[in-house]
Structure formats: structure tokens, C-alpha cells
């Protein structure tokens, strides 16, 4: 079965760090575009970061310089390292597989169940 | 950055109604647009990609149209399972901007 399973969320103080993991099954992470999308409580969806199959990475301005997307091909797992966390980073974080690629991105056909990150003192 | 604007924000309709949601891009995105459905507490589900292509397994009552800067999602006959929030997303650029969402409620 093709699926994504996130983990690593939790309660963290402002300024702290957290690493989210997204384990994939049924397909190979490194041959796909993979992204992170977040959703603050009661709000809409916000694209956070993207990694191409060639390893190129992209970030939303709101997280640039603080978050790092990466993958471990041997574990078929995607990561999001989040540093200098702020209250406004509080959200459910989803990892997604992007397919049907356009010029620079793709439509997300597979989504994980999401992991909640709460930044609060 | 490309901005995406959906309308309406909320829509009230009866089962069986034909429903249309509009999404406008701040600049041309060709046909690089997706539509998603999200139910409370669940991850979004891809319905339509490349503006008008139906994702596998999605009922044919869902359809998408448009190109350039204006797009629509149509549900031909609203079913009880369709009450949810719908989002458009452009993927012409790497920063896949989403619209703010349209909540479809029971009238």
C-alpha cells in the first residue's frame, strides 16, 4: 500500500527545535518530488517546503533559514528539521508526494495523516 | 509569489444541487492547478489535477475547468459525502500556493 506516516510532533517552547519524520511505503521517496504542507488550527493550508528528486530544496519565506527539508534514501524517509520555532509555526504538518508535475511543482496525490506541532511556553 | 483567491468562502447548498467554486490566480499558471477536498480532522484528498484531470477513484460528479488565471470546480449533483472544505492550489511555481478554502455546508 502506498502511504506516508509522519511522526515527531509535540509541544515545544519558542526558540526550540524539532525534527519531523515521514516514512514512506509503496514507493521510493528519492525518485519523487516530496513536500511539507502545514495547517494552523482552524486555518487553511500553507505550503512549507519542497525537495526535488535531484535534491534541490525550496522553502516558504516564512520558514526560510529556520527549516531544512531532507531525506534518507536508505530509510525511504523524508524529514523536516525545524529550528528557532515560533508560536506562529503551531500547526498540523503534513508530508506529501507530488505527482503530475508542472514546471516547478506538482499536485499532491499522497498525504500523510499529519503530526501536530505546538509552539508554546 | 503567485496569490490564489477562492470564492465564495462559504457555500450553503442542498443535496442534489449543482455547485461551482471559483479560483483565481494573480498571474497566469497555464493549467497547473489542483483541487483538494478536506474533511474535519483528515488530510486533504486530491480531486483534480492539471485543472481538469480527474484523479483516479474520484466520482465523476466532480469536474474542473479553466486555464490561465481563472478556474472552477463543479460538483454536478451534491451528495451528503461532499460536505467539506475545498482548496485550490497552483503548482506552476515550486511554492505551491493554496487558496483560502471554500466550506460547503448543508442548507
Amino acid at each position: 500500500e502506498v502511504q506516508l506516516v509522519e511522526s515527531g510532533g509535540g509541544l515545544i517552547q519558542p526558540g526550540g527545535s524539532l525534527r519531523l519524520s515521514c516514512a514512506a511505503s509503496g514507493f521510493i521517496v528519492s525518485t519523487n518530488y516530496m513536500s511539507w504542507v502545514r495547517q494552523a488550527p482552524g486555518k487553511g493550508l500553507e505550503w512549507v517546503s519542497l525537495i526535488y528528486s535531484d535534491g534541490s530544496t525550496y522553502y516558504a519565506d516564512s520558514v526560510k533559514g529556520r527549516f531544512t527539508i531532507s531525506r534518507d534514501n536508505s530509510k525511504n524517509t523524508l524529514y523536516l528539521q525545524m529550528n528557532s520555532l515560533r508560536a506562529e509555526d503551531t500547526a498540523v504538518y503534513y508530508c506529501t508526494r507530488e505527482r503530475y508535475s508542472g514546471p516547478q511543482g506538482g499536485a499532491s496525490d499522497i498525504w500523510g495523516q499529519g503530526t501536530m506541532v505546538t509552539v508554546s511556553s | 509569489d503567485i496569490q490564489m483567491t477562492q470564492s465564495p468562502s462559504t457555500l450553503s447548498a442542498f443535496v442534489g444541487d449543482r455547485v461551482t467554486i471559483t479560483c483565481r490566480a494573480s498571474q497566469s499558471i497555464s493549467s497547473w492547478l489542483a483541487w483538494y477536498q478536506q474533511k474535519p480532522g483528515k488530510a486533504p484528498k486530491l480531486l483534480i489535477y492539471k485543472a481538469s484531470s480527474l484523479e483516479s477513484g474520484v466520482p465523476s460528479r466532480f469536474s474542473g475547468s479553466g486555464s490561465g488565471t481563472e478556474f472552477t470546480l463543479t460538483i454536478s449533483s451534491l451528495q451528503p459525502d461532499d460536505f467539506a472544505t475545498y482548496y485550490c492550489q497552483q503548482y506552476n511555481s515550486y511554492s505551491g500556493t493554496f487558496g483560502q478554502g471554500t466550506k460547503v455546508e448543508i442548507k
Side-chain angles (χ1 to χ4, degrees):
Chain A
E1 183 187 4
V2 174
Q3 66 174 357
L4 294 166
V5 178
E6 299 103 335
S7 60
L11 175 63
I12 188 77
Q13 291 190 338
S17 298
L18 211 55
R19 188 178 81 158
L20 306 183
S21 299
C22 173
S25 56
F27 73 97
I28 299 172
V29 165
S30 64
T31 62
N32 286 273
Y33 291 7
M34 299 292 296
S35 66
W36 289 94
V37 173
R38 69 184 180 184
Q39 186 169 37
K43 302 298 184 183
L45 301 168
E46 180 188 13
W47 174 82
V48 172
S49 183
L50 166 65
I51 185 166
Y52 284 169
S53 50
D54 70 1
S56 302
T57 59
Y58 302 90
Y59 300 93
D61 288 345
S62 58
V63 307
K64 200 173 295 182
R66 300 187 299 123
F67 290 12
T68 303
I69 190 171
S70 64
R71 66 191 182 211
D72 184 329
N73 297 344
S74 67
K75 296 182 178 179
N76 207 31
T77 298
L78 180 73
Y79 299 102
L80 186 67
Q81 177 68 42
M82 304 186 295
N83 299 330
S84 304
L85 282 161
R86 306 166 180 168
E88 54 265 36
D89 296 318
T90 294
V92 174
Y93 285 74
Y94 296 101
C95 64
T96 90
R97 180 181 77 174
E98 294 194 1
R99 284 189 69 193
Y100 313 121
S101 299
Q104 296 185 326
S108 292
D109 69 331
I110 305 296
W111 294 67
Q113 84 285 358
T115 187
M116 182 71 204
V117 173
T118 303
V119 184
S120 174
S121 55
Chain B
D1 285 2
I2 301 172
Q3 308 302 316
M4 306 300 292
T5 304
Q6 277 181 246
S7 61
S9 297
T10 307
L11 186 160
S12 296
F14 293 105
V15 171
D17 280 354
R18 181 182 181 88
V19 165
T20 299
I21 299 168
T22 297
C23 181
R24 289 186 174 87
S26 60
Q27 64 189 73
S28 177
I29 57 170
S30 185
S31 296
W32 305 114
L33 185 100
W35 289 97
Y36 301 89
Q37 177 194 67
Q38 187 180 34
K39 296 182 179 179
K42 299 295 186 182
K45 172 187 174 183
L46 178 63
L47 301 174
I48 302 284
Y49 63 94
K50 207 174 180 185
S52 60
S53 295
L54 194 68
E55 173 69 339
S56 177
V58 174
S60 59
R61 62 181 179 273
F62 291 93
S63 64
S65 65
S67 66
T69 61
E70 189 149 341
F71 303 85
T72 58
L73 173 71
T74 299
I75 309 172
S76 60
S77 177
L78 198 64
Q79 299 302 301
D81 191 48
D82 301 339
F83 291 95
T85 300
Y86 294 83
Y87 294 92
C88 63
Q89 182 200 25
Q90 66 81 16
Y91 55 99
N92 183 69
S93 68
Y94 63 80
S95 58
T97 326
F98 290 90
Q100 80 277 18
T102 296
K103 186 175 183 180
V104 177
E105 298 178 329
I106 301 173
K107 196 169 187 178

